[in-house]
Amino acid sequence: QAKQDGRGIWRLFCTEMDLETTKNYQLEQEVKTALQQQQFILHYQPIIDLATENTAGFEALIRWQHPSRGFIAPNDFIPLAEELGLMSQIDLYVVRTAVEQIQRWRFDYATEFYVSVNISGRSFSEIDFADKVLELLRTLGVPASYLAIEITERALIDKIGQAKISINNLRDAGVKVLLDDFGTGYSSLSYLHEFQLDVLKIDRTFIAGIRPRIQENPVVNTIITLAKTLHLKVIAEGIETSLQRKLLTELGCDAGQGYWFAKPMPAREAVEWLK
Ligand code: C2E
Ligand code: MG
Ligand code: MG
Ligand code: MG
């Protein structure tokens, strides 16, 4: 309306804040459309058992195939979507899509595997989050052991009480709970024994910093030892070289993922990988 009245007036209304509001409103609309039109797709990155080299599971990673903007990486829309309170819709969509995928793969592949889904802190600490996930598994007839949920340290800190309830409800039913990007963020060790978790995922910055000789890696070594002491499994993320894979195996790391094994790939390619 203002625009038709001439550029001067348009400029008058167009303060920085208005622009931001307009942009946010636009993103909100676009996310809703994206959910309806299935513009969000999941890619799957294999998680490899380091001792046996078998595929233990996959991490599901969202991609936005926007009709006009093209491919949008998660780090380019998730932070804003989180701020605008849009993540619970997206996260539930991702869980549903992943569980539907498991349902199809389960019968093509004899050995057990799991699909690990990233959940933003806000969604995770919603009161009915675990119930919604378990309901979905029941409806689609998928055993809980096929699903894992990845949360970051932040999700634990924000609403400690509710996070604990969500973790316990999911784990009691058999859904694994993984602590993602371990070692970055708050890195407060005090909460580790407060929460019952299944896996620590060592952040890839530590893996990128791995040095050639085994004794030169005290931090990675300590994280693995810590995990073992707490009866947790350890997954290393971002393995890019055979040296990293070799050292992590020697240090007793249970599993790993990274470009050295495979990049995240569309479902159709991932199922070939499974076979
Ligand atoms: P993340 O959960 O820590 O995921 C690992 C990221 O590292 C992925 O980036 C993956 O593609 C990338 N990666 C895997 N192997 C390697 C490697 O060898 N080298 C390097 N340099 N990178 C590697 P991506 O897919 O861009 O996702 C970024 C982040 O966005 C994720 O970090 C996660 O926090 C978030 N995210 C992704 N998908 C979802 C989702 O469906 N829901 C939510 N809430 N967050 C998601
Ligand atoms: Mg993750
Ligand atoms: Mg991670
Ligand atoms: Mg990360």
Side-chain angles (χ1 to χ4, degrees), residues 66-135:
H66 194 284
S68 57
R69 294 172 211 261
F71 175 92
I72 310 176
N75 287 333
D76 292 332
F77 69 90
I78 286 180
L80 186 54
E82 245 165 14
E83 232 173 87
L84 297 177
L86 301 170
M87 277 318 287
S88 28
Q89 291 178 68
I90 297 177
D91 283 335
L92 274 181
Y93 176 86
V94 170
V95 176
R96 186 177 313 113
T97 308
V99 173
E100 285 168 357
Q101 194 59 254
I102 296 167
Q103 196 185 33
R104 273 172 254 139
W105 282 346
R106 193 153 84 86
F107 301 104
D108 297 341
Y109 188 68
T111 339
E112 232 190 270
F113 64 92
Y114 61 88
V115 174
S116 193
V117 172
N118 295 281
I119 298 297
S120 74
R122 181 86 74 84
S123 314
F124 191 76
S125 51
E126 275 168 15
I127 288 172
D128 53 354
F129 175 76
D131 291 337
K132 282 183 184 158
V133 170
L134 298 178
E135 172 68 32

Side-chain angles (χ1 to χ4, degrees), residues 40-43 60-64 72-74 77-78 90 94:
F40 292 120
I41 60 155
L42 296 184
H43 280 189
L61 295 154
I62 197 171
R63 276 90 185 85
W64 188 350
I72 310 176
F77 69 90
I78 286 180
I90 297 177
V94 170

Side-chain angles (χ1 to χ4, degrees), residues 180-181 203-204 237:
D180 204 355
D181 303 340
D203 191 74
R204 77 172 133 86
E237 38 174 51

Side-chain angles (χ1 to χ4, degrees), residues 133-134 137 144-145 147-149 170-177 198:
V133 170
L134 298 178
L137 288 167
S145 60
L147 184 68
I149 299 289
L170 289 168
R171 290 193 71 247
D172 286 349
V175 177
K176 287 176 270 298
V177 179
D198 294 282

Side-chain angles (χ1 to χ4, degrees), residues 10 38 44 52 59 85 96 126 141 156 162 198 255:
W10 173 240
Q38 310 201 342
Y44 297 87
T52 65
E59 178 174 5
R96 186 177 313 113
E126 275 168 15
L156 301 181
Q162 187 51 49
D198 294 282

